Amino acid sequence: MPIRILVADDHRVVRAGVRALLNDPDLMVIGEAADGHEALRLASELRPDIVLLDITMPGPEDSGIEVTRRLRKLLPEPVCSSSLYTKM
């Protein structure tokens, strides 16, 4: 049975890139979220094994960091937060 993954990032091209990188018979992207609110809703509905989440998603109540906190309470599964942001 493949590992079920939810990808959450506010950039469509990043979500598409992550999906392409996870193209493996042992992995299955079961959903994509463009914001924190959608990530929480999909995680609750789909119950993924892993959530890959961009911590720099915007929003005061559904920022990536706040969503990570909420997901850790909602799901027993691992939440992996990442950011591609680099300060120039």
Side-chain angles (χ1 to χ4, degrees), residues 32-62:
E32 295 182 20
D35 59 43
H37 178 74
E38 187 176 20
L40 289 166
R41 181 182 62 77
L42 287 174
S44 180
E45 288 176 17
L46 302 174
R47 308 303 282 189
D49 298 316
I50 296 174
V51 179
L52 296 177
L53 175 74
D54 174 17
I55 61 169
T56 62
M57 282 194 297
E61 293 181 14
D62 60 354

Side-chain angles (χ1 to χ4, degrees), residues 2-57:
I3 297 170
R4 301 166 65 247
I5 302 167
L6 172 63
V7 178
D9 194 295
D10 56 320
H11 296 98
R12 184 183 349 207
V13 68
V14 173
R15 291 192 313 270
V18 170
R19 182 181 279 274
L21 288 171
L22 297 175
N23 185 17
D24 184 287
D26 295 327
L27 306 172
M28 179 175 37
V29 176
I30 59 170
E32 295 182 20
D35 59 43
H37 178 74
E38 187 176 20
L40 289 166
R41 181 182 62 77
L42 287 174
S44 180
E45 288 176 17
L46 302 174
R47 308 303 282 189
D49 298 316
I50 296 174
V51 179
L52 296 177
L53 175 74
D54 174 17
I55 61 169
T56 62
M57 282 194 297

Side-chain angles (χ1 to χ4, degrees), residues 59-73:
E61 293 181 14
D62 60 354
S63 69
I65 291 175
E66 182 56 33
V67 170
T68 299
R69 287 185 186 114
R70 292 181 187 176
L71 284 171
R72 293 198 62 203
K73 292 177 184 175

